[in-house]
Amino acid sequence: MADYYIVGVAGAGAVASLLGFVFWYYNSLVRFRGLSTMNTTASMEFRNENCVKKARNSEAVGTTDVIVVGAGVAGAALAYSLGKDGRRVRVIERDLTEPLSIAGENLMPGGYLKLIELGLEECVDEIDAQRILGYVLYMHGKDATVSFPLERFQSNVAGRSFHNGRFVQRLREKAASLHNVSLEQGTVTSLFEENGIVKGVHYKDKGGQVLTAYAPLTVVCDGCFSNLRRSLCNPKIDVPSYSAGFVLTNCKLPCENYGALVIAPPSPFVFYPISCTEIRCLVDVPSRNLPSVSDGKMADYLKTQVAPKVPPQLYTAFISAIEKKGNIRIMPNKIMAAAPYLTPGALLIGDAFNMRHALTGGGMTVALSDVVLLRDLLRPLQDLSDPSTVSKYLESFYTLRKPMSSTINTLANVLHKVLSASSDPAMEDIQQACFNYMKLGGVFACGLSALYSGLSPRPLNLAFHFLAISIYAVGLMLLPFPSPKRLWNGAKLLWVGLSIVLPFIQSEGVRQMFFPLTVPAYYRTPPGNERKP
């Protein structure tokens, strides 16, 4: 009861005023602009030419409406959605074989809802995908079960975890099933640009022939290792840690349909099922201390530093997995805020454009949300032939995506920072406060899980929970009475907390994140639909 008293009384005044502002602000947001009004598919007319030209010593292939570079989750989903709307889409993917990736295995409930909006929900069928209803947190011998708030949704809505490659192949199959979508293997070497306008791409096909493909709009979504992003944004990539991933077999998670997140030094690690017989373990390893896999040092690190903190039900399978030759794979955890250039004829989406730490598994949710938004923005456009006008109109995309992207990005990056080991006592206090806050359950745990699951993508709600956790942490520190030392430690805790949160909020853009109604691009209307004075 004391925990609830701290949160309720100590924060009553600040929280009440913040909530009042939240309700006013979001009512204004819905009143001024609703993307649901853009869902009417415009009738489209397309040219039928299939010309072959010579351009810069390379053979040119027929013009299409949209070129999509990359056929991962974002690229394949976008190609399908635009193809369903009647666009002629050419997808160029470097490798069309099934990807073998340890990333992109968690689809949060908010991402599954976006999959439904795109008509692609069947892509999680027949791949042995597992339903995820939440996570169990473990820390210092205690546990806290945090469920996704799914009560107001249909029974099929939940998180899904699976083999990434199987999911991607299903998306590609759906895209390729449309007669107006062509999916081909090739390596895009550069964008084809004239007078500052992107007219298409130069690429090498499967046989090594250099070709040029033309389209009035090129969407680049070639993943976290994109070689085209420097032409379209200002990439500032940080790699705070790596994930060591491996598969456990012959075991079951402590709680069925729930993943497991273990918060323990030197860094957190997570378990989740990727099939009915396999459990993925991802161990966060700080970049400054990455052991080598080839010489066995990574296996030794996992056995000595991580295994003692593994839940007992998984310990034997954990040891067997790290001893299995070739089972451990490494993935960099990249963070990159969206910093696009307004480039006529081209657009960036997916991990090529924006990345967050993989701890909360929110990447696919952000990508699919971007696809839904871009599809809805393009629907009213019958003609894409004026790149400058279309580019100015699509500038609104970068602001309209912020509720989902900035909420998941900020929470993922902050949680990784907080849950990683630190020698600073204030950091340890914040870490313990976060765990205790989630253990409170009710509106506290459900509120945070709604944010990282993509079910409630509201930056102001995120700010509210950050504030509530801070009040809770300071309140615990001041009990049973606020001595001068405790007051000093409380002030230090607030300072350390702000130093973690504010840089990530700043990188997302304070104005776009919290006050999008003040951004001129928010009010862009489709070309030809501008209001007349």
Side-chain angles (χ1 to χ4, degrees):
M1 292 299 294
D3 290 341
Y4 287 95
Y5 179 80
I6 291 168
V7 177
V9 175
V15 172
S17 59
L18 180 60
L19 282 175
F21 179 72
V22 168
F23 290 129
W24 170 83
Y25 184 76
Y26 275 99
N27 284 336
S28 299
L29 191 68
V30 172
R31 187 168 60 251
F32 277 100
R33 179 152 184 167
L35 279 179
S36 60
T37 60
M38 302 180 63
N39 286 336
T40 303
T41 306
S43 60
M44 302 177 187
E45 296 180 1
F46 303 105
R47 297 184 301 274
N48 293 319
E49 70 268 17
N50 188 23
C51 57
V52 177
K53 305 176 182 177
K54 291 287 183 178
R56 298 188 179 181
N57 298 321
S58 64
E59 189 175 1
V61 296
T63 303
T64 56
D65 299 297
V66 181
I67 293 172
V68 177
V69 181
V73 172
L78 180 65
Y80 176 79
S81 61
L82 295 183
K84 286 286 286 185
D85 282 353
R87 307 279 185 189
R88 294 195 306 175
V89 183
R90 178 186 296 275
V91 187
I92 305 172
E93 162 60 36
R94 182 180 59 83
D95 186 358
L96 287 175
T97 59
E98 183 174 315
L100 298 174
S101 174
I102 62 174
E105 295 177 326
N106 263 312
L107 182 65
M108 290 292 145
Y112 183 75
L113 289 175
K114 297 300 178 183
L115 211 60
I116 293 174
E117 283 191 62
L118 294 168
L120 290 168
E121 64 272 23
E122 66 183 56
C123 290
V124 297
D125 298 334
E126 301 177 5
I127 61 171
D128 201 9
Q130 303 298 299
R131 284 170 57 87
I132 299 293
L133 303 178
Y135 277 81
V136 181
L137 278 58
Y138 296 87
M139 183 176 179
H140 301 327
K142 299 180 180 180
D143 62 81
T145 301
V146 181
S147 299
F148 300 135
L150 302 172
E151 296 80 9
R152 62 189 179 91
F153 299 100
Q154 295 181 352
S155 59
N156 65 315
V157 177
R160 297 290 194 282
S161 55
F162 39 67
H163 282 271
N164 170 266
R166 297 176 185 175
F167 180 55
V168 169
Q169 290 299 87
R170 289 280 282 158
L171 291 173
R172 290 173 177 175
E173 289 169 7
K174 287 288 288 184
S177 69
L178 301 177
H179 73 278
N180 51 332
V181 175
S182 67
L183 184 61
E184 60 183 294
Q185 185 163 307
T187 301
V188 176
T189 55
S190 63
L191 300 173
F192 173 42
E193 189 174 337
E194 285 185 353
N195 302 320
I197 298 175
V198 174
K199 300 290 185 70
V201 297
H202 297 299
Y203 71 103
K204 292 182 180 179
D205 66 9
K206 193 174 181 179
Q209 184 180 11
V210 179
L211 301 170
T212 301
Y214 294 95
L217 179 62
T218 299
V219 182
V220 176
C221 39
D222 54 347
C224 64
F225 298 104
S226 171
N227 64 341
L228 300 177
R229 63 162 64 102
R230 291 189 178 278
S231 303
L232 301 172
C233 74
N234 181 24
K236 296 181 180 179
I237 300 174
D238 183 28
V239 184
S241 66
Y242 288 80
S243 286
F246 45 94
V247 174
L248 282 64
T249 56
N250 302 317
C251 62
K252 291 186 178 181
L253 287 164
C255 188
E256 187 178 3
N257 296 124
Y258 281 76
L261 173 62
V262 181
I263 305 169
S267 51
F269 53 99
V270 64
F271 298 93
Y272 53 86
I274 55 175
S275 75
C276 62
T277 60
E278 299 167 297
I279 294 174
R280 170 71 70 195
C281 179
L282 288 180
V283 178
D284 190 75
V285 183
S287 294
R288 63 182 180 277
N289 185 31
L290 182 66
S292 171
V293 174
S294 58
D295 61 8
K297 289 184 178 179
M298 177 60 77
D300 291 340
Y301 172 86
L302 295 172
K303 189 176 293 186
T304 58
Q305 300 296 316
V306 181
K309 290 98 173 180
V310 171
Q313 303 94 321
L314 301 172
Y315 181 82
T316 301
F318 183 92
I319 296 298
S320 298
I322 61 179
E323 290 178 345
K324 183 178 179 182
K325 187 176 181 181
N327 195 28
I328 302 174
R329 301 178 61 193
I330 303 297
M331 173 190 75
N333 293 313
K334 295 185 177 183
I335 295 175
M336 186 181 78
Y341 301 138
L342 194 61
T343 307
L347 197 71
L348 269 172
I349 66 169
D351 284 349
F353 165 56
N354 185 202
M355 293 179 282
R356 77 294 307 149
H357 197 278
L359 181 64
T360 60
M364 285 193 292
T365 300
V366 174
L368 291 170
S369 176
D370 283 353
V371 169
V372 170
L373 176 58
L374 185 56
R375 177 203 64 180
D376 292 345
L377 286 172
L378 289 174
R379 270 183 168 171
L381 304 185
Q382 297 185 30
D383 187 5
L384 301 176
S385 62
D386 186 347
S388 296
T389 302
V390 172
S391 178
K392 185 177 180 181
Y393 163 64
L394 290 180
E395 187 182 5
S396 62
F397 168 79
Y398 300 118
T399 299
L400 295 172
R401 68 184 296 272
K402 281 296 177 180
M404 180 69 82
S405 65
S406 62
T407 299
I408 291 180
N409 292 349
T410 304
L411 187 57
N413 297 336
V414 169
L415 279 180
H416 171 257
K417 192 86 171 179
V418 168
L419 300 184
S420 297
S422 172
S423 57
D424 188 341
M427 283 290 291
E428 294 179 4
D429 290 333
I430 293 173
Q431 188 179 102
Q432 186 66 55
C434 284
F435 179 80
N436 290 342
Y437 185 85
M438 298 293 278
K439 197 172 176 60
L440 289 175
V443 66
F444 310 109
C446 285
L448 272 180
S449 68
L451 290 168
Y452 74 73
S453 64
L455 294 173
S456 178
R458 296 183 175 91
L460 284 173
N461 283 5
L462 181 64
F464 163 77
H465 283 284
F466 283 160
L467 175 63
I469 292 172
S470 300
I471 293 171
Y472 178 62
V474 172
L476 287 176
M477 187 169 290
L478 295 181
L479 288 177
F481 59 90
S483 65
K485 182 179 180 180
R486 286 173 176 161
L487 287 170
W488 169 254
N489 288 338
K492 183 180 178 182
L493 184 147
L494 288 175
W495 174 258
V496 171
L498 287 173
S499 69
I500 295 172
V501 174
L502 291 182
F504 291 120
I505 290 178
Q506 184 179 16
S507 68
E508 290 293 328
V510 174
R511 187 181 179 189
Q512 286 186 312
M513 185 172 176
F514 293 106
F515 309 105
L517 290 173
T518 68
V519 180
Y522 184 87
Y523 301 96
R524 295 280 193 268
T525 57
N529 293 349
E530 297 87 351
R531 292 181 180 179
K532 296 181 180 180

PDB file of all heavy atoms in Angstrom, residues 32-50:
ATOM      1  N   PHE A  32      -8.374  18.025 -35.651  1.00  0.00           N
ATOM      2  CA  PHE A  32      -7.758  18.754 -36.765  1.00  0.00           C
ATOM      3  C   PHE A  32      -7.397  17.849 -37.927  1.00  0.00           C
ATOM      4  O   PHE A  32      -7.380  18.269 -39.064  1.00  0.00           O
ATOM      5  CB  PHE A  32      -6.497  19.498 -36.297  1.00  0.00           C
ATOM      6  CG  PHE A  32      -6.813  20.832 -35.671  1.00  0.00           C
ATOM      7  CD1 PHE A  32      -6.841  20.966 -34.289  1.00  0.00           C
ATOM      8  CD2 PHE A  32      -7.093  21.932 -36.454  1.00  0.00           C
ATOM      9  CE1 PHE A  32      -7.132  22.184 -33.707  1.00  0.00           C
ATOM     10  CE2 PHE A  32      -7.387  23.156 -35.874  1.00  0.00           C
ATOM     11  CZ  PHE A  32      -7.411  23.275 -34.499  1.00  0.00           C
ATOM     12  N   ARG A  33      -7.031  16.603 -37.604  1.00  0.00           N
ATOM     13  CA  ARG A  33      -6.625  15.739 -38.719  1.00  0.00           C
ATOM     14  C   ARG A  33      -6.848  14.282 -38.396  1.00  0.00           C
ATOM     15  O   ARG A  33      -6.401  13.812 -37.365  1.00  0.00           O
ATOM     16  CB  ARG A  33      -5.143  15.949 -39.044  1.00  0.00           C
ATOM     17  CG  ARG A  33      -4.659  15.054 -40.194  1.00  0.00           C
ATOM     18  CD  ARG A  33      -3.531  15.703 -40.921  1.00  0.00           C
ATOM     19  NE  ARG A  33      -3.156  14.898 -42.064  1.00  0.00           N
ATOM     20  CZ  ARG A  33      -2.376  15.329 -43.030  1.00  0.00           C
ATOM     21  NH1 ARG A  33      -1.914  16.544 -43.011  1.00  0.00           N
ATOM     22  NH2 ARG A  33      -2.049  14.541 -44.030  1.00  0.00           N
ATOM     23  N   GLY A  34      -7.525  13.560 -39.239  1.00  0.00           N
ATOM     24  CA  GLY A  34      -7.719  12.122 -39.045  1.00  0.00           C
ATOM     25  C   GLY A  34      -7.335  11.416 -40.314  1.00  0.00           C
ATOM     26  O   GLY A  34      -7.911  11.651 -41.367  1.00  0.00           O
ATOM     27  N   LEU A  35      -6.374  10.523 -40.194  1.00  0.00           N
ATOM     28  CA  LEU A  35      -5.909   9.822 -41.395  1.00  0.00           C
ATOM     29  C   LEU A  35      -6.957   8.859 -41.930  1.00  0.00           C
ATOM     30  O   LEU A  35      -6.892   8.435 -43.071  1.00  0.00           O
ATOM     31  CB  LEU A  35      -4.625   9.054 -41.063  1.00  0.00           C
ATOM     32  CG  LEU A  35      -3.357   9.894 -41.060  1.00  0.00           C
ATOM     33  CD1 LEU A  35      -2.185   9.028 -40.687  1.00  0.00           C
ATOM     34  CD2 LEU A  35      -3.129  10.549 -42.410  1.00  0.00           C
ATOM     35  N   SER A  36      -7.936   8.521 -41.095  1.00  0.00           N
ATOM     36  CA  SER A  36      -8.954   7.595 -41.568  1.00  0.00           C
ATOM     37  C   SER A  36      -9.758   8.167 -42.717  1.00  0.00           C
ATOM     38  O   SER A  36     -10.369   7.436 -43.497  1.00  0.00           O
ATOM     39  CB  SER A  36      -9.893   7.235 -40.419  1.00  0.00           C
ATOM     40  OG  SER A  36     -10.521   8.405 -39.919  1.00  0.00           O
ATOM     41  N   THR A  37      -9.749   9.492 -42.847  1.00  0.00           N
ATOM     42  CA  THR A  37     -10.494  10.111 -43.948  1.00  0.00           C
ATOM     43  C   THR A  37      -9.794   9.919 -45.275  1.00  0.00           C
ATOM     44  O   THR A  37     -10.344  10.238 -46.327  1.00  0.00           O
ATOM     45  CB  THR A  37     -10.655  11.620 -43.694  1.00  0.00           C
ATOM     46  OG1 THR A  37      -9.365  12.220 -43.608  1.00  0.00           O
ATOM     47  CG2 THR A  37     -11.412  11.862 -42.401  1.00  0.00           C
ATOM     48  N   MET A  38      -8.562   9.407 -45.241  1.00  0.00           N
ATOM     49  CA  MET A  38      -7.792   9.275 -46.474  1.00  0.00           C
ATOM     50  C   MET A  38      -7.842   7.861 -47.029  1.00  0.00           C
ATOM     51  O   MET A  38      -7.082   7.501 -47.914  1.00  0.00           O
ATOM     52  CB  MET A  38      -6.339   9.671 -46.222  1.00  0.00           C
ATOM     53  CG  MET A  38      -6.187  11.086 -45.695  1.00  0.00           C
ATOM     54  SD  MET A  38      -4.463  11.506 -45.426  1.00  0.00           S
ATOM     55  CE  MET A  38      -3.841  11.387 -47.091  1.00  0.00           C
ATOM     56  N   ASN A  39      -8.707   7.021 -46.492  1.00  0.00           N
ATOM     57  CA  ASN A  39      -8.687   5.613 -46.853  1.00  0.00           C
ATOM     58  C   ASN A  39      -9.419   5.277 -48.151  1.00  0.00           C
ATOM     59  O   ASN A  39      -9.497   4.124 -48.536  1.00  0.00           O
ATOM     60  CB  ASN A  39      -9.279   4.770 -45.715  1.00  0.00           C
ATOM     61  CG  ASN A  39      -8.328   4.675 -44.551  1.00  0.00           C
ATOM     62  OD1 ASN A  39      -7.123   4.824 -44.726  1.00  0.00           O
ATOM     63  ND2 ASN A  39      -8.856   4.443 -43.357  1.00  0.00           N
ATOM     64  N   THR A  40     -10.012   6.276 -48.802  1.00  0.00           N
ATOM     65  CA  THR A  40     -10.704   6.024 -50.058  1.00  0.00           C
ATOM     66  C   THR A  40      -9.686   5.894 -51.174  1.00  0.00           C
ATOM     67  O   THR A  40      -8.892   6.781 -51.409  1.00  0.00           O
ATOM     68  CB  THR A  40     -11.670   7.173 -50.373  1.00  0.00           C
ATOM     69  OG1 THR A  40     -12.566   7.312 -49.278  1.00  0.00           O
ATOM     70  CG2 THR A  40     -12.448   6.890 -51.638  1.00  0.00           C
ATOM     71  N   THR A  41      -9.703   4.786 -51.842  1.00  0.00           N
ATOM     72  CA  THR A  41      -8.745   4.543 -52.915  1.00  0.00           C
ATOM     73  C   THR A  41      -9.118   5.322 -54.158  1.00  0.00           C
ATOM     74  O   THR A  41     -10.228   5.232 -54.654  1.00  0.00           O
ATOM     75  CB  THR A  41      -8.704   3.049 -53.255  1.00  0.00           C
ATOM     76  OG1 THR A  41      -8.452   2.328 -52.054  1.00  0.00           O
ATOM     77  CG2 THR A  41      -7.658   2.748 -54.292  1.00  0.00           C
ATOM     78  N   ALA A  42      -8.167   6.109 -54.628  1.00  0.00           N
ATOM     79  CA  ALA A  42      -8.433   6.907 -55.829  1.00  0.00           C
ATOM     80  C   ALA A  42      -8.351   6.024 -57.070  1.00  0.00           C
ATOM     81  O   ALA A  42      -7.571   5.076 -57.139  1.00  0.00           O
ATOM     82  CB  ALA A  42      -7.409   8.033 -55.933  1.00  0.00           C
ATOM     83  N   SER A  43      -9.177   6.337 -58.078  1.00  0.00           N
ATOM     84  CA  SER A  43      -9.064   5.638 -59.358  1.00  0.00           C
ATOM     85  C   SER A  43      -7.792   6.084 -60.046  1.00  0.00           C
ATOM     86  O   SER A  43      -7.402   7.237 -59.966  1.00  0.00           O
ATOM     87  CB  SER A  43     -10.276   5.974 -60.232  1.00  0.00           C
ATOM     88  OG  SER A  43     -10.337   7.359 -60.479  1.00  0.00           O
ATOM     89  N   MET A  44      -7.115   5.136 -60.714  1.00  0.00           N
ATOM     90  CA  MET A  44      -5.801   5.426 -61.263  1.00  0.00           C
ATOM     91  C   MET A  44      -5.727   5.021 -62.726  1.00  0.00           C
ATOM     92  O   MET A  44      -6.312   4.035 -63.133  1.00  0.00           O
ATOM     93  CB  MET A  44      -4.721   4.663 -60.475  1.00  0.00           C
ATOM     94  CG  MET A  44      -4.725   5.014 -59.000  1.00  0.00           C
ATOM     95  SD  MET A  44      -3.516   4.051 -58.096  1.00  0.00           S
ATOM     96  CE  MET A  44      -3.919   4.545 -56.425  1.00  0.00           C
ATOM     97  N   GLU A  45      -4.978   5.812 -63.479  1.00  0.00           N
ATOM     98  CA  GLU A  45      -4.730   5.494 -64.878  1.00  0.00           C
ATOM     99  C   GLU A  45      -3.229   5.418 -65.075  1.00  0.00           C
ATOM    100  O   GLU A  45      -2.489   6.268 -64.600  1.00  0.00           O
ATOM    101  CB  GLU A  45      -5.313   6.583 -65.790  1.00  0.00           C
ATOM    102  CG  GLU A  45      -6.842   6.693 -65.705  1.00  0.00           C
ATOM    103  CD  GLU A  45      -7.371   7.776 -66.617  1.00  0.00           C
ATOM    104  OE1 GLU A  45      -6.555   8.408 -67.301  1.00  0.00           O
ATOM    105  OE2 GLU A  45      -8.586   7.984 -66.636  1.00  0.00           O
ATOM    106  N   PHE A  46      -2.779   4.387 -65.774  1.00  0.00           N
ATOM    107  CA  PHE A  46      -1.348   4.178 -65.933  1.00  0.00           C
ATOM    108  C   PHE A  46      -0.984   4.031 -67.396  1.00  0.00           C
ATOM    109  O   PHE A  46      -1.756   3.515 -68.203  1.00  0.00           O
ATOM    110  CB  PHE A  46      -0.918   2.908 -65.176  1.00  0.00           C
ATOM    111  CG  PHE A  46      -1.248   2.934 -63.719  1.00  0.00           C
ATOM    112  CD1 PHE A  46      -2.305   2.193 -63.215  1.00  0.00           C
ATOM    113  CD2 PHE A  46      -0.523   3.731 -62.860  1.00  0.00           C
ATOM    114  CE1 PHE A  46      -2.616   2.233 -61.879  1.00  0.00           C
ATOM    115  CE2 PHE A  46      -0.820   3.760 -61.524  1.00  0.00           C
ATOM    116  CZ  PHE A  46      -1.872   3.022 -61.024  1.00  0.00           C
ATOM    117  N   ARG A  47       0.248   4.451 -67.693  1.00  0.00           N
ATOM    118  CA  ARG A  47       0.761   4.276 -69.043  1.00  0.00           C
ATOM    119  C   ARG A  47       1.147   2.820 -69.244  1.00  0.00           C
ATOM    120  O   ARG A  47       1.520   2.125 -68.312  1.00  0.00           O
ATOM    121  CB  ARG A  47       1.978   5.175 -69.264  1.00  0.00           C
ATOM    122  CG  ARG A  47       1.664   6.654 -69.155  1.00  0.00           C
ATOM    123  CD  ARG A  47       2.893   7.468 -69.492  1.00  0.00           C
ATOM    124  NE  ARG A  47       4.001   7.154 -68.604  1.00  0.00           N
ATOM    125  CZ  ARG A  47       4.174   7.750 -67.423  1.00  0.00           C
ATOM    126  NH1 ARG A  47       3.330   8.657 -67.010  1.00  0.00           N
ATOM    127  NH2 ARG A  47       5.204   7.439 -66.673  1.00  0.00           N
ATOM    128  N   ASN A  48       1.098   2.361 -70.464  1.00  0.00           N
ATOM    129  CA  ASN A  48       1.383   0.960 -70.761  1.00  0.00           C
ATOM    130  C   ASN A  48       2.702   0.759 -71.497  1.00  0.00           C
ATOM    131  O   ASN A  48       2.994  -0.333 -71.950  1.00  0.00           O
ATOM    132  CB  ASN A  48       0.256   0.350 -71.622  1.00  0.00           C
ATOM    133  CG  ASN A  48      -1.033   0.254 -70.843  1.00  0.00           C
ATOM    134  OD1 ASN A  48      -1.016  -0.106 -69.678  1.00  0.00           O
ATOM    135  ND2 ASN A  48      -2.149   0.577 -71.499  1.00  0.00           N
ATOM    136  N   GLU A  49       3.494   1.828 -71.599  1.00  0.00           N
ATOM    137  CA  GLU A  49       4.723   1.659 -72.362  1.00  0.00           C
ATOM    138  C   GLU A  49       5.704   0.765 -71.626  1.00  0.00           C
ATOM    139  O   GLU A  49       5.742   0.724 -70.414  1.00  0.00           O
ATOM    140  CB  GLU A  49       5.389   3.017 -72.652  1.00  0.00           C
ATOM    141  CG  GLU A  49       5.998   3.719 -71.431  1.00  0.00           C
ATOM    142  CD  GLU A  49       5.014   4.660 -70.786  1.00  0.00           C
ATOM    143  OE1 GLU A  49       3.814   4.545 -71.056  1.00  0.00           O
ATOM    144  OE2 GLU A  49       5.477   5.517 -70.013  1.00  0.00           O
ATOM    145  N   ASN A  50       6.495   0.053 -72.374  1.00  0.00           N
ATOM    146  CA  ASN A  50       7.518  -0.819 -71.803  1.00  0.00           C
ATOM    147  C   ASN A  50       8.796  -0.615 -72.605  1.00  0.00           C
ATOM    148  O   ASN A  50       9.350  -1.526 -73.195  1.00  0.00           O
ATOM    149  CB  ASN A  50       7.059  -2.275 -71.853  1.00  0.00           C
ATOM    150  CG  ASN A  50       7.998  -3.174 -71.090  1.00  0.00           C
ATOM    151  OD1 ASN A  50       8.714  -2.704 -70.211  1.00  0.00           O
ATOM    152  ND2 ASN A  50       7.990  -4.458 -71.406  1.00  0.00           N
TER     153      ASN A  50
END
